[in-house]
Structure formats: C-alpha cells, structure tokens
Amino acid sequence: MSIIQCTNLTKDYGNAKALSDLSFTIEENTITGLIGRNGAGKTTLLKTIAGFIKNTSGEISVLGKNPFDCLDVSANTFFADDNMAFPVELTLSELLEEISNFYPNWDVSLAKGLFEYFGLNPKQYHAGLSKGQKSTFNMIVALSSHSALTIFDEPTTGMDASVRKDFYRALLKDYIQYPRTIILSSHLLSEIEDILENILLLKNGTKVLQMPVENLKEMAIGLRGDINSINMLTNGKEIIHTEKINGNHILVVVKNDFTETALQQANVLGVEILQVSADDLCVYLTAKSQGGIDDVFNRAKLI
Amino acid sequence: MTIIFPIIIILITVVFVLKKNTTKLSIPVKYKKYFVFLYCTILFVSTIVLYFIPKNNLISVKKPTEPISKVLRELASQDKLNASTGLTQKGTFIFDYSGKTLKIFGSSINIEFICKRKNIDDGKIEATNYVGDFSYHGFDIPDKINPPSMKLMKNELLLSDNKSKIDIKINNFTLDFTTNQFIKNENYETMPLFPMKIVYLKIPKSLQIDNTSCNTLQMLN
Amino acid sequence: MMYLIEPNSFNILKKQYFFKLKTNFGLIFNLILFQIFAIFLSLVVKMTSSSFGMDELTFYVSSFSGNIVIGFTLIWACTVPAILTNSKIRNIDFTFVSNRFTSNISNIGLLITLSLFGSVTACLSSNLIRVLFYFISNPKSIVNEGFFVSPQYILISIISTTLYIILVMSILYFLGLLKQLTKVFIILFFAIAVAIILGFKLFSSTINFTLIDLINKVFNFYKGESSLVVFAVKVLLTALVFFSGATLISSKLEVRR
C-alpha cells in the first residue's frame, strides 16, 4: 500500500520552480533516502508532504488525503529538520512531557534512554543547546514519537561522527522493532546507504530516478584508460561523467549494461573497470555538466 | 511636551517587549512564576484591606446648604445671626464715631454687609464679623478664616484683606473609565459655596451710610 | 505496523490550548511589569488637578483613578497578538499535531483567557492604588466618595475591561495574520485603506462629514454605550467578525518555511 503518492507535483515560487512535474510513490514501511544537491527541491518536497506548504499544481496524497492543513496527516507525521520551533519557556524534560501528550504512540522508555545516553541536560532550555545537541534532541523526539510517517530533513547537521553513527543505529533498530515509513534526506549518502532501502534522486525539482539502493550501486561502472579505447567501448552509450586524468587517460562513467564479452574486451584494451559508489553516482547524475568542476579549469586553460 | 514623554516611554516598552519575546530567556521561569504569584496575592490582600479602612478617617460630602444671602435679611431682622443658622461669629469691633455720614469701602473682598439702625444715637458703631458654613466635601473651614481688619479713618470704614493664605489639598478618587461608562454618576461635586463673610453693623440712628463704593450693603430699617 | 491515529479536532484543540497556557507564561509576566509601572505612575502622576479659590482660600483638587493601569493593560493587549502571530511562534504548533483551524482557535482561546486575567488584575490594582495611597499620604485629605469601590462596581469593571481588551486583541490578531500573507495582499489592503481616507478627504466638503468625524463615530459606538449588555453584544460581534476573518486568512498560510 502506498503511503505517499505524487502525480505531476509542481511548486512555484514566483518565477522559480522548486518542484516540477514530480511523480512518484512511496510504499508503506520503507526507509527512503531523498538525495539531491542544494536547491534540488528536497526540503520543498518534504514540507509539501508534511502539509506545511501547498503545491501549485498536480496531486499529492499522503495517507490517502491531501496533506495541506489536514489534521489526520499531521497526527501521523513527524517532521524533523534543523530549525524545529520549540517553545522557549520549557526545559528539555518539560518539552518531552508536553510532546508526549500529542502522540499516543509515544515511547517513554526510548525517549528517556536516548536522552540519557546522549548526555543531554534535562534542565536546559532548547535555545541554549549547541547545533549538534539540537539535532540530537530533534532526532530523539522524532524517533520516540513512533509516527506512521517520520520525515528527517538533514537530521545530522552539526552532529559529530560518533553521534551520527549512533543515530543511524538507533534509527534502524527502532525501525525494525516498530516498522513505519521513514524518509531521510541527507547529503552524506555514503553514511546512510546501509540503512536505506530506496533512493529517490532529485535534480532541479524533477525526479532523476527512484530505485532500491542495491540497484543503484550496480547501476553504473567506471572505465579508466586510454581515450581511444574508451571511446571504442562506449560507442553509442550514454556517458554519465567524464574526467581527465593525465595525458591521454580519462575516466568515464557509463551505465552498467555491458555484456561479459564487452567487459573482457575492456580488459584486453587495458581499460580498468571501477566500482562506482552510490554517492558518486548521484553526484554525477545531478551534475550540471558532464565534466564536473574540471570544466571550469579547462575553460580557463583555453582562454 | 508633557504628552510626548509618556508616549516615548510607551513606544520603547512596546518595542522592548516585542523584541524580548523572540529571543532567549533572561530570567528563569520559576522566578517569574513566584513574582506573578506574589503580585496576585498582593492584589487580593489589598482588596480585602480596602474594606477594613475606617470610613471616618476620610472626608465626606455634606449636602450643599442653601446660599444664605437670600435669607440674610430675615435672619438679621430676627436677630438670628448665630451658630444655629450656620454662621460663626468671628469677633466684634466697636468704633466710636460721631460723624454724620459713613462711607464704607469694602476693597476687593467679597463681603455682605448688613446694616441695622439702632434705636438710639449713641455714637458707636458695632461691627460683627460672621463667616458662613462652608460646604465642599465637608470641609469645615470657618475657624481657619480670619476676619478682615477694619479701620475707621475720618469718615470712612475701611476693610482690608488680611494677607493670610489658606491652601487646602484634596485627593479625589474616581472610578475607571470602563466602569464610569455604565454607571450613572450621582454628581456630588457641585460648585463650592464659598464661605460667606458677613459684617453686621449696628449704627446710630441718624447715621447716613454712603454705600456708593460698596454694593453688597443691605439696610434693614 | 503503527496503527494509524485518528485525531479528534476537539481533543487536539484542548491539548493545544493547555500547551499554550503553559508556554506563553512570559506574556503574563510582561503584563505584570506593565501594571507595576502603571501603578507607580498612578500614585505619582496626578491625572487631573484643578484649583479654585477666593480671597485667601485656595483649593487644590487632585484626581486619581485606575485609568493609567487600564491604559497600560490595553497597550499590553496590543503586544500579545503581535507576538502570537509571529511566524516563529506560529510554527511551534506545527512542530506537533495541528492544523490551521486548531492552531487558530487555541490562539483565540488563549487571547480570551489572557483578556480575563489582564482585566481582573487591572481592576484589582485600582484597589491596590487606593490602599497604597492611604498609607502614603494623609488620610484626612482623601475624599470618601469614590475611594471605596463596591463589589458590584468591581464586577462591572472586570466585565467591561475584559470586553475592551478582547476588542483590541481581536482587531490586532486579524491584522497580525494579515501581515503574514503575501506582500500582494498587504499592499492591496493598504491601497484600499488609503483610497478610503483620500476619498473622505476629497469629498468631505460635499458629504459634510470628515474623517475625524468617522473616527469619532466609531469610538463612540463603543465608548458611548451606556448599557453593559448592549456593549457586550457589540464587542463580541465585532470580535467574532475579526476572529473569523483571522481564521480564514490562517487557513491559507503556509508554515515552517
């Protein structure tokens, strides 16, 4: 059953299109990673799903309803980002108590346990926390709410590496115990690809791809070698990324639809076959140009 | 000038309050709660205390009495100028005067003169000062007012102001405008009747009074 | 599988209302500060003083009342909706469970509760002023009438002041939400307001009715009313209009941007 369904979803801000003709579905009880560059529309999409922002055109249905101004969606969704608004007057422990009133599925022991584990001070005020501590607190609240749809927008901002690791582990463990639909948006795909099930890749407000993580890892391969050999191998294929190494050697990333024989041919030609990580692949797929940042320097040389 | 100053204070407070609410806390909430609780307690206590304040300590309003000048003539002719009719006697002067005419100068004082002819020509003029009852928020002032000094010079009776100054400060509490809007006020603040100053002259039978410079003279007979 | 929660609007409203009572305590603290300052001013500044006298006698009459406190409470009442309609504060609702309707109605509930509290403290503070004055200055100089406020007058005062505060808050709440709308609407709103004002200025000679007259008329509509019941009806209807307008506006607003 699909929890979220979008058809031709568009969101304009004046002349700029934040989301443009976006169509996808997210199934129940999955962890989806929302990946894309800055300004790709991730936050806009997530806020539209949560019902904070109204789409300009197209259809969106969350839990079977339009999420904008919908109490049902709000009661079953938790949206955690790095500027969550909390009342200034309450201490952290008071906050946890107040929040638990709003969520019938609130897990008191989990909240308490995580709170103590991360060493947060119950008598402190939210405004006095550091950025990393704020993210930690937001994460604790989001997990303990046990909402059917939990959305994390850049949840690890400011967290140090060990806290991030703990967060992913906690997320996974709780998800296994109490399955729910989770959407996670992050820059650090390399860190989270182990816990993600699916990936939704956005570029300029449009969907580039949506597929399970394993498929993404296998989707492309890198070829490194002589420029002529590579051109031969990749004749007619769609090149995802090109990179000049030195002299005549280049690196090329293409879709992995090579047959066994083609791969052997590559070996013969002295072309190296490389794995492309999901992280790098997403970067290439959402790049503006094929050559990446090297283009800037190449152009400079020409001039 | 005096209007601008409070307006500036108000504007500053409003801006300060608005700014403060979107930034971090300065005073812990617990102290604020105690403070508010204390204030509310003081308010309730003061309301109760108010009802225990004895009324007698304060000034109360007496009904304004009728202006006496109308009935002055009658009172005088009946010899009723004394305390029972609300007048306080303030001293009597007796002058020896043997002239034929008497001019009375009241200067700028508001005095009512009443003149009664005696039956005999004894060459004496009796002048008695009276001060009328004063009715404004029940203040009893007559004892504070000094009678004007009188001098007899040649054929003129001169009355002059004494330079004493009496300042009385009253504090009046009114209801708030939100209550006043719905209550019909019994107006107890009428214009005060100023103390009537009266000089009662008993003059010799054949004395002529020249009252050209004094127009509050009433002759009785 | 998490079973889906089916929220009840009324339930959420109640939770939000009590939540807001707890978290907006700072507003009450502000009120107390305003009132303490006003009480101080009331004791020191003479509202009216007149003097009259004759000959050697001069009377100086100074009038005191709780009007300064009520005035300052009304000023505080102006700051409250401005704070509540601030986008940062509005966003707090949407961190948790809310829709625009519940957020709005719980705000209105908070406003009415604060009005009542502000009114009670303002009216009782006139008693405090009287008591303080009695102990500070010579009791012999205080007039009896008007010093003791009978309980029914206090009650009338509380009801009336609450209504005034609600009136002010409802208008400013509406304006505060209006401010959150896109710039287009705000410009439109001001354009209409300016057009009305200019229209009056231009045609005042023919209509025989100036803008000042209109403002006076509006003031007197409320202030000139001498029946408490009719006044209550007037204020509550006006507040209803503005609060409904505010609810309409808020349903269009985006949050957490």
Side-chain angles (χ1 to χ4, degrees), chain B residues 33-206:
Chain B
K33 283 193 180 159
Y34 284 145
F35 187 70
V36 170
F37 185 69
L38 183 68
Y39 177 76
C40 293
T41 324
I42 292 179
L43 284 185
F44 274 113
V45 166
S46 68
T47 310
I48 297 173
V49 167
L50 189 67
Y51 288 101
F52 283 103
I53 291 180
K55 266 193 174 183
N56 302 328
N57 282 354
L58 312 181
I59 314 162
S60 71
V61 169
K62 284 194 204 152
K63 286 246 164 59
T65 52
E66 284 223 8
I68 284 192
S69 57
K70 294 182 190 151
V71 296
L72 211 51
R73 241 185 121 81
E74 285 166 33
L75 288 174
S77 55
Q78 292 160 25
D79 234 356
K80 276 200 179 150
L81 294 177
N82 48 30
S84 65
T85 48
L87 297 175
T88 317
Q89 189 167 331
K90 281 227 173 248
T92 311
F93 293 91
I94 299 182
F95 300 101
D96 285 320
Y97 188 66
S98 47
K100 291 275 190 267
T101 55
L102 183 68
K103 202 168 184 188
I104 303 181
F105 277 105
S107 74
S108 56
I109 311 174
N110 300 310
I111 301 185
E112 291 267 346
F113 285 94
I114 299 197
C115 222
K116 185 173 184 178
R117 285 190 192 281
K118 292 190 268 195
N119 294 329
I120 45 169
D121 260 332
D122 58 355
K124 287 199 198 305
I125 297 177
E126 244 178 74
T128 316
N129 275 303
Y130 290 95
V131 175
D133 214 0
F134 184 61
S135 173
Y136 183 67
H137 289 303
F139 263 107
D140 260 340
I141 317 213
D143 22 305
K144 293 208 187 89
I145 295 185
N146 298 323
S149 53
M150 289 199 234
K151 269 191 250 183
L152 192 61
M153 271 176 45
K154 292 190 193 167
N155 59 342
E156 291 167 356
L157 184 64
L158 293 168
L159 279 76
S160 54
D161 226 341
N162 47 31
K163 298 291 180 205
S164 66
K165 273 219 165 287
I166 306 177
D167 286 339
I168 299 184
K169 296 199 173 121
I170 302 182
N171 296 310
N172 187 18
F173 276 88
T174 55
L175 292 173
D176 310 328
F177 74 90
T178 49
T179 329
N180 262 332
Q181 197 175 325
F182 304 106
I183 292 176
K184 301 207 168 52
N185 237 332
E186 315 98 24
N187 202 357
Y188 52 84
E189 261 191 67
T190 53
M191 262 311 286
L193 294 173
F194 279 100
M196 182 112 304
K197 291 188 204 158
I198 301 163
V199 172
Y200 184 47
L201 293 169
K202 282 196 183 135
I203 53 172
K205 190 172 172 192
S206 50

Side-chain angles (χ1 to χ4, degrees), chain A residues 17 63 118 124 138 142 145 154 156 161 173 175 185 200 239 299:
Chain A
K17 271 194 184 224
L63 298 170
F118 286 108
Q124 203 169 6
N138 297 350
S145 75
E154 313 270 354
T156 54
K173 281 183 100 81
Y175 168 71
S185 101
L200 174 58
I239 297 181
R299 241 174 282 138

Side-chain angles (χ1 to χ4, degrees), chain C residues 11-82:
Chain C
N11 226 347
I12 301 289
L13 247 177
K14 239 178 26 173
K15 287 182 186 172
Q16 277 193 317
Y17 171 72
F18 285 111
F19 177 71
K20 283 180 186 182
L21 277 185
K22 281 184 215 166
T23 62
N24 282 304
F25 184 75
L27 294 174
I28 292 189
F29 184 71
N30 286 344
L31 170 69
I32 307 300
L33 286 182
F34 270 86
Q35 284 192 342
I36 289 182
F37 183 58
I39 291 175
F40 169 73
L41 281 183
S42 299
L43 290 173
V44 166
V45 170
K46 297 173 179 150
M47 275 314 293
T48 59
S49 62
S50 52
S51 60
F52 42 82
M54 195 176 77
D55 299 338
E56 69 266 73
L57 191 64
T58 319
F59 275 96
Y60 299 96
V61 183
S62 309
S63 254
F64 294 87
S65 75
N67 281 338
I68 297 183
V69 180
I70 296 192
F72 267 79
T73 307
L74 283 175
I75 293 174
W76 164 81
C78 296
T79 67
V80 169

Side-chain angles (χ1 to χ4, degrees), chain A residues 38-160:
Chain A
N38 289 334
K42 302 193 297 293
T43 304
T44 313
L45 176 61
L46 291 177
K47 286 189 178 165
T48 314
I49 292 174
F52 300 146
I53 297 180
K54 199 170 169 68
N55 56 319
T56 321
S57 65
E59 274 171 37
I60 172 168
S61 134
V62 176
L63 298 170
K65 307 195 167 88
N66 185 319
F68 186 76
D69 206 17
C70 178
L71 199 61
D72 288 336
V73 171
S74 177
N76 289 299
T77 307
F78 198 95
F79 185 98
D81 64 356
D82 56 351
N83 48 8
M84 284 182 84
F86 286 108
V88 173
E89 288 94 348
L90 300 184
T91 60
L92 294 182
S93 52
E94 285 168 354
L95 266 179
L96 285 180
E97 218 185 291
E98 290 300 322
I99 298 173
S100 64
N101 283 335
F102 283 98
Y103 295 100
N105 287 337
W106 180 265
D107 189 339
V108 180
S109 50
L110 177 65
K112 195 154 175 280
L114 287 174
F115 195 82
E116 282 165 7
Y117 175 79
F118 286 108
L120 292 174
N121 180 1
K123 293 226 195 317
Q124 203 169 6
Y125 292 96
H126 190 264
L129 294 175
S130 71
K131 197 143 180 51
Q133 284 175 320
K134 278 188 188 161
S135 296
T136 311
F137 181 75
N138 297 350
M139 170 266 286
I140 294 175
V141 176
L143 280 181
S144 312
S145 75
H146 279 183
S147 301
L149 173 61
T150 313
I151 303 177
F152 293 92
D153 188 9
E154 313 270 354
T156 54
T157 320
M159 283 186 189
D160 59 42

